[in-house]
Amino acid sequence: MLSRTLTESSTSTVKSAGFQVSQVRYRRTLAYPFYSKAGNIPPARKGRKQTVFKRLMDQFLGPKNYKGEYYLNKYAYPKNNHTPNYIDPRSERGNALLEPLSEFDTVDETENDSSKRRNNNAFRPFPLNSKLSTNFQVDNETKIQIVNDILLNKMPSQQVAIKYGLKIQRIEAILKLREIEEKWEQEDKINGDLKRMSQAMYKMFPIFNPRNNAENLTEIPIPKETLQSRFLTIAESEPFGPVDAAKEFNLEPAAVTLEKLSEGGEHSLHHEATQTKNDGSFIAPMHEGDKYAFKFTPVKVGKVGYRYGKVNRDNRKDRKVAYDAAGNKYYPLE
């Protein structure tokens, strides 16, 4: 009776325009892993009623020690050889143990060639997405060399970027983080827990290698205006290049953008030139019809003119009156 009620509630009939349409609700199916079809499902433990998913989970986790840790599972502890520890179900097929405990925990290497596949997907958090990969961190020795080259050897950031294959923004970030680290050391903010966490994170992420992982120094960010297509009708003989395309999107040419990115940074040649030549003064742009050009120079407040916000009592009846040496009357500023 109960099954009949559930069936009737899940199926409904709609009568419209002289015909009947049967609507059946979506029936969910259990998502068994693909390797469970190969027959490597471990048997249930003695005296326990376990589902297939519970048995597969026990197979994946493995046994516990007296601390409650899955000591045989290779994902239970962080790695310390500068390699990430991503789960790869296509090559593991449910076997995440360092040592197989039974025949159900073994993996057929000849069928899937899991060792090669594991090496190829070592830096992919999602094995099926080949476009997403783990970023590489700069080792401590290279960071010290970058700081010495810029601060001690006075090398510009552009030259250091070419030397190590890193973008200027990343080099500036290394210098800024080094400055913050020295400040924290002086203020005694770096305790033992922070050092241990830093060392554990450093050992987990892969190391940057300029030969294999050099960054593209000519790469520019994609403007949001170019994410949508724009069509333009032109003559077949009319030339149309990247500069014309930039004008259609109301953008500056890519060469200008790349030049600005290469000149950016606190330790670049362009920044040092502007710091030495420019004292802060500038001439305001002139428009059509203007007769004079105004130059603005930074000065210290109080030395030139009157301080902003000084009380002026010219329109007050009780304003202060004074006389100069010649006896002329004037109203001084209070």
Side-chain angles (χ1 to χ4, degrees), residues 69-88:
E69 300 174 349
Y70 298 98
Y71 63 99
L72 288 181
N73 193 299
K74 52 187 172 184
Y75 301 110
Y77 306 100
K79 283 196 172 183
N80 54 5
N81 56 351
H82 297 289
T83 55
N85 204 11
Y86 297 136
I87 298 177
D88 188 7

Side-chain angles (χ1 to χ4, degrees), residues 237-307:
S237 59
E238 182 179 355
F240 190 83
V243 178
D244 301 323
K247 291 181 180 179
E248 289 297 328
F249 284 100
N250 296 325
L251 298 173
E252 60 185 8
V256 179
T257 305
L258 182 61
E259 184 179 358
K260 290 182 179 180
L261 292 176
S262 62
E263 291 177 354
E266 185 180 351
H267 304 85
S268 61
L269 290 173
H270 179 74
H271 182 78
E272 295 178 356
T274 53
Q275 291 294 324
T276 54
K277 295 181 181 179
N278 189 6
D279 57 351
S281 61
F282 66 94
I283 299 177
M286 297 183 63
H287 302 280
E288 186 178 358
D290 293 346
K291 296 181 179 180
Y292 305 99
F294 294 92
K295 182 179 180 180
F296 295 87
T297 304
V299 294
K300 190 174 181 180
V301 177
K303 289 188 176 182
V304 178
Y306 299 101
R307 183 178 178 87

Side-chain angles (χ1 to χ4, degrees), residues 198-260:
S198 176
Q199 293 176 359
M201 297 292 290
Y202 179 73
K203 294 178 181 179
M204 289 171 58
F205 287 93
I207 296 298
F208 176 81
N209 187 0
R211 296 181 180 179
N212 303 328
N213 316 116
E215 298 178 345
N216 186 8
L217 303 182
T218 61
E219 182 182 3
I220 60 176
I222 301 176
K224 62 179 181 180
E225 291 83 0
T226 60
L227 297 179
Q228 296 180 354
S229 302
R230 185 172 299 182
F231 298 93
L232 178 66
T233 304
I234 60 176
E236 185 177 357
S237 59
E238 182 179 355
F240 190 83
V243 178
D244 301 323
K247 291 181 180 179
E248 289 297 328
F249 284 100
N250 296 325
L251 298 173
E252 60 185 8
V256 179
T257 305
L258 182 61
E259 184 179 358
K260 290 182 179 180

